[in-house]
Amino acid sequence: MGFSHSHLLGIEHLKQSDIVAVLDLAESYVDLNRRQEKHADALSGLTQINMFFENSTRTQASFEIAGKRLGADVMNMSMGTTSLEKGESLIDTALTLNAMHPDLLVVRHPHSGAVNLLAEKVNCAVLNAGDGRHEHPTQALLDALTIRRARGRLHRLNIAICGDIAHSRVARSNILLFGRMESRIHLVGPSTLIPAGAADWGVEIHEDMQEGLRGADVVMMLRLQRERMDGGFIPSEREYFHRFGLDAEKLGFAKPDAIVMHPGPMNRGVEIDGTIADDINRSVIQEQVEMGVAVRMAAMDLLARNLETPPSGSAV
Ligand code: ASP
């Protein structure tokens, strides 16, 4: 079954077969990335612009490596220091870049919905690299690939997503993805960090780690996203770690072979104990980073196949 989308804006728009198509293609890129010679030519002749209006280390690096390995010309724009400071609107910036004929635009923005808006104004493929607290589709896809490789399937799993759900686009995209797979999602955190309306998402909600982690196949920890908080959501980090931080004792509530995930960046000693994060028998955090490159290669490859215009220069 084909992947018929022109943009990757959110898991919201993907069918189960689209998700499987990305993951299956990503598997071949996992193999390529483990070779010494890592080049393929799926994006050869294409221009990829990474526009990050919010700081990023791993996502931006991952998209850059992914594009380069597939032969694209990749340009990184750190938007905080350029036109936005001069008061140019998001749309004007997008239109200016659009006039340079990029083929793929990778965008991260602090406002939910900004990437969708931008996609309406440009005529290239747009990939959402995280918009506000809305979606982070490539993170959910890389999490799914990591889980499928570790647990052998995506269906009928118990997935505990723990911590700051309210400010997390990672949680939202994963809830949508694993909802498509008929897996059971348990959201675990203090009531102040569970969004209003979450009870209608088809998930189970717990304010206690023992209850929330019981029988979990996957334990996904989230960072406290202070940049999106405008008040005191937790009494103190110490108290938060005591109640919700993942340590060996709390991990003991999950299945004995449950895997531990974190999208990064991690706050050791706040949402996760460092020894758990580094335990290669339980933690798949480094695999998540590895799968990120492969999934982004697959997503850009599939979108490039659907580009309406031929790659610039190909008609010369
Ligand atoms: N890196 C992820 C994101 O951009 C998670 C986080 O920042 O905590 O949403």
Side-chain angles (χ1 to χ4, degrees), residues 54 58-59 108 129-130 132 136 139 168-170 222-223 225 227-228 262-265:
E54 227 186 31
R58 80 199 65 220
T59 305
R108 168 168 287 192
H136 193 352
Q139 177 72 47
S168 176
R169 51 197 177 208
V170 174
L222 299 173
R223 180 176 67 93
Q225 305 199 22
E227 71 277 24
R228 289 189 229 295
H262 194 303

Side-chain angles (χ1 to χ4, degrees), residues 9 12 17 28 45 47 82 84 112 125 129 131 137 193 200 221 230 256 271 289:
L9 299 177
E12 190 185 353
S17 58
S28 66
T47 301
T82 56
L84 276 198
S112 305
D131 64 324
L193 293 176
D200 303 328
M221 302 308 299
D230 51 12
E271 71 268 0
V289 179

